[in-house]
Amino acid sequence: MTQPKHTHPLGYLQQTAKQLKDYWFLILLALWQWGNLSAFWRFIMVLALVVWLLVWPLLKWLTLTYLIGPTAVVVNSGIFIRHHQHIPYSRIQTVQRKQWFYLRPFHLEALQIETASHQDDEPEVRLPAVPTTVADTLNAYRFDLPLTPDSAPTTAPETTTPDLPDIRQRYVTNPHSMVLFALTGTGIIPLALVLLTLYGKLPHQWTDSLISDAAHWAVPLLIGGAILTLLVAWLGAFTWVLIRYYHFTLTRTSSQLQVAKGLFQRNTITAPLARVQAVRCKQTILRQWLHLQTVQVLLASKAATDDDNDDLVILPAIVQSHLYTTLNPFIDWTPPMAPRLTQLIVPRPARWLLSRNAVLIVIFPVLVVGWLWQPWGWLSALLIPLAILQGQYAARNTAGSLLTHQLLVLQTGHFWTRETFFVRKAQIQSLRVTWSVWMQKRQLAHLTVNVRHGNHNQEITLRYISAKQAERLYQWYKA
């Protein structure tokens, strides 16, 4: 590939779809004002919508060209202001390949390239519809592989990952674990809120008529409606997780991690092992009972914005007893067996402090709700015992230990979720120990470790741990 090329014409359709997704409300606004405008202003409004929603994406597609050279990726873009990007392969942080089902027959995919230099949430390079050979050529230059002829485009089958050099380890999720993972997802909460919001948007005459007709069934109707809403939300969240993580495959080479997943959109992310900032093992309280763990890696990029907490999921549902033996071959600086977290813990006499803090957070809203919506508002007082239990949960799950001279493990518990972080000393951006006058008397301190997280910062805080242990860790970091 020696001359700059345009993306495939399907790229224009994707640009148009994105424009419609971002500005769909303009069409609704136009329909709402249609009857109040004269014929002239209707013509002007339709013309403006056509230019903005159809012509503008066409101009963006016509002005976007790319070149995969032997040493760098070059991208030219911009309508009124031209942009020329030159990205050497050594600076590339992550490469993400997205292939929707309608792109597969044409051997096309969307390609995103990121470095660690950008500040916003967008990748440096976004090519909406290019041949799969583009990413193959890019990887060949990056890894010094033999080039394949551009005249013979190939695409990886749906159940495999693109070719990688020097494959050392591969892992495919267990279907039974994935079903349990989907059953215990928290996606039901936002979906239930969406359904309730849609119900609130229905015409009042519909809902008033339904309620009046079933007045004598008011309580059963209310309970049945709540159950139906939760059931639909749960089923939607369950299906979404299975589609999103369909045939999840993790592959490791000598220097790269590659994740491939998805049914309708096959999403493939390649990230250098050297750029992994930390490893996070995550469990909600439901998954603790089922002994399931989710493992993520924190990267200095936004390649994983579609994943949980913007972190790249590498093991979505792994049985806890197999966690460390499975993880270690992929990230060899993690421990091969479960670590003993006995150093950085909350002393038993100090555990009530975390419950006190949780109660202080909810007590004011409970009083306000109870006063304004009497008597039912006082049901919000049930949040107080929940806050106490959450504080105890956080205290019991706060722990940490210095595994080796270069590896630190920290564990936190918040919002009924336990998170365990494995952080190397070289990746710690800063370490802070703080205490108040009252904490100093009790020999307690807060320990905060900061790690690069996407384009921002991941703050890991252990509260009310032994001041002596916190100071010892501080001296370790200074050494």
Side-chain angles (χ1 to χ4, degrees):
M1 191 178 296
T2 58
Q3 295 295 327
K5 291 187 176 182
H6 290 282
T7 61
H8 191 273
L10 283 176
Y12 164 63
L13 295 181
Q14 289 193 315
Q15 295 272 21
T16 304
K18 184 177 185 302
Q19 196 82 341
L20 289 171
K21 184 183 72 172
D22 293 340
Y23 298 101
W24 57 269
F25 59 90
L26 294 178
I27 299 177
L28 296 181
L29 183 62
L31 293 175
W32 181 50
Q33 293 293 333
W34 187 262
N36 301 327
L37 298 175
S38 63
F40 172 77
W41 286 110
R42 288 178 182 176
F43 172 76
I44 295 297
M45 184 170 60
V46 171
L47 181 62
L49 287 175
V50 169
V51 170
W52 184 242
L53 299 178
L54 299 177
V55 177
W56 188 258
L58 177 62
L59 295 176
K60 290 175 69 175
W61 176 76
L62 289 172
T63 55
L64 175 64
T65 61
Y66 65 94
L67 171 66
I68 308 298
T71 59
V73 178
V74 180
V75 178
N76 305 309
S77 62
I79 299 172
F80 298 114
I81 300 176
R82 296 294 291 167
H83 301 277
H84 302 279
Q85 293 175 282
H86 184 276
I87 304 177
Y89 295 123
S90 60
R91 301 297 182 186
I92 292 177
Q93 181 89 350
T94 54
V95 175
Q96 188 169 7
R97 306 169 70 166
K98 295 183 177 181
Q99 189 179 53
W100 281 99
F101 62 92
Y102 58 83
L103 294 177
R104 288 173 191 159
F106 303 97
H107 304 291
L108 300 173
E109 63 186 0
L111 185 64
Q112 295 182 9
I113 301 173
E114 285 196 8
T115 71
S117 62
H118 66 295
Q119 298 298 321
D120 55 15
D121 291 343
E122 295 294 324
E124 279 88 351
V125 173
R126 186 193 297 272
L127 303 176
V130 295
T132 55
T133 52
V134 171
D136 295 336
T137 303
L138 186 150
N139 286 331
Y141 283 130
R142 289 178 70 196
F143 305 128
D144 294 325
L145 299 176
L147 292 174
T148 57
D150 289 348
S151 58
T154 59
T155 183
E158 184 178 316
T159 57
T160 63
T161 55
D163 290 337
L164 284 175
D166 186 26
I167 293 178
R168 296 190 176 182
Q169 199 76 19
R170 177 164 286 172
Y171 171 83
V172 179
T173 52
N174 179 278
H176 179 260
S177 297
M178 283 306 304
V179 169
L180 293 177
F181 177 74
L183 287 173
T184 55
T186 56
I188 184 177
I189 298 174
L191 281 177
L193 294 176
V194 168
L195 290 175
L196 290 174
T197 303
L198 291 176
Y199 175 80
K201 298 297 182 181
L202 292 175
H204 290 293
Q205 58 267 28
W206 294 6
T207 55
D208 294 343
S209 175
L210 179 64
I211 293 174
S212 61
D213 292 342
H216 58 292
W217 295 103
V219 174
L221 185 66
L222 182 63
I223 296 175
I227 293 175
L228 180 62
T229 299
L230 290 175
L231 182 61
V232 172
W234 171 82
L235 184 60
F238 173 79
T239 306
W240 170 247
V241 171
L242 291 183
I243 291 174
R244 185 180 182 185
Y245 290 98
Y246 174 76
H247 206 277
F248 185 99
T249 304
L250 172 66
T251 306
R252 185 209 160 151
T253 70
S254 58
S255 61
Q256 303 281 325
L257 282 179
Q258 184 184 86
V259 167
K261 62 182 179 180
L263 177 59
F264 298 115
Q265 183 196 62
R266 195 66 181 165
N267 190 358
T268 304
I269 304 174
T270 304
L273 280 165
R275 306 294 175 88
V276 173
Q277 305 298 303
V279 175
R280 183 210 309 258
C281 301
K282 188 174 181 180
Q283 280 182 304
T284 62
I285 192 168
L286 289 176
R287 289 172 183 161
Q288 284 180 247
W289 295 337
L290 295 173
H291 305 288
L292 282 180
Q293 288 263 20
T294 298
V295 182
Q296 304 165 305
V297 292
L298 279 63
L299 301 171
S301 74
K302 296 292 286 186
T305 50
D306 293 335
D307 276 0
D308 191 12
N309 295 110
D310 294 344
D311 299 323
L312 181 62
V313 175
I314 60 172
L315 297 173
I318 184 73
V319 179
Q320 191 164 331
S321 59
H322 299 158
L323 169 63
Y324 295 99
T325 55
T326 304
L327 177 62
N328 180 260
F330 290 95
I331 302 179
D332 50 18
W333 47 264
T334 57
M337 61 184 66
R340 293 176 57 86
L341 307 180
T342 57
Q343 297 177 7
L344 305 171
I345 61 174
V346 180
R348 189 174 294 274
R351 290 182 177 179
W352 72 274
L353 294 170
L354 287 159
S355 292
R356 179 204 63 183
N357 291 352
V359 169
L360 290 176
I361 292 173
V362 302
I363 189 67
F364 181 72
V366 166
L367 293 175
V368 171
V369 171
W371 177 261
L372 293 179
W373 289 283
Q374 299 185 41
W376 297 106
W378 291 112
L379 289 175
S380 61
L382 294 174
L383 293 174
I384 295 177
L386 284 177
I388 295 173
L389 292 175
Q390 165 58 35
Q392 293 302 301
Y393 177 86
R396 288 189 174 92
N397 285 282
T398 297
S401 184
L402 190 61
L403 296 186
T404 69
H405 186 64
Q406 295 296 325
L407 183 60
L408 176 66
V409 56
L410 302 170
Q411 183 175 281
T412 63
H414 61 280
F415 297 114
W416 306 104
T417 301
R418 179 168 65 194
E419 295 182 337
T420 305
F421 295 86
F422 295 93
V423 187
R424 289 175 294 178
K425 184 177 181 180
Q427 268 63 52
I428 297 177
Q429 302 294 316
S430 65
L431 188 147
R432 184 173 71 251
V433 178
T434 58
W435 59 85
S436 65
V437 175
W438 296 274
M439 291 172 62
Q440 193 172 15
K441 293 179 180 178
R442 296 185 174 94
Q443 293 295 305
L444 300 175
H446 298 326
L447 173 70
T448 301
V449 175
N450 292 295
V451 181
R452 180 77 182 272
H453 175 205
N455 300 324
H456 307 289
N457 175 64
Q458 172 69 56
E459 187 178 88
I460 309 168
T461 301
L462 305 187
R463 298 184 179 277
Y464 301 109
I465 64 174
S466 166
K468 183 181 296 184
Q469 294 293 344
E471 181 62 26
R472 183 177 301 172
L473 196 65
Y474 181 75
Q475 296 301 325
W476 163 80
Y477 182 67
K478 285 175 57 180

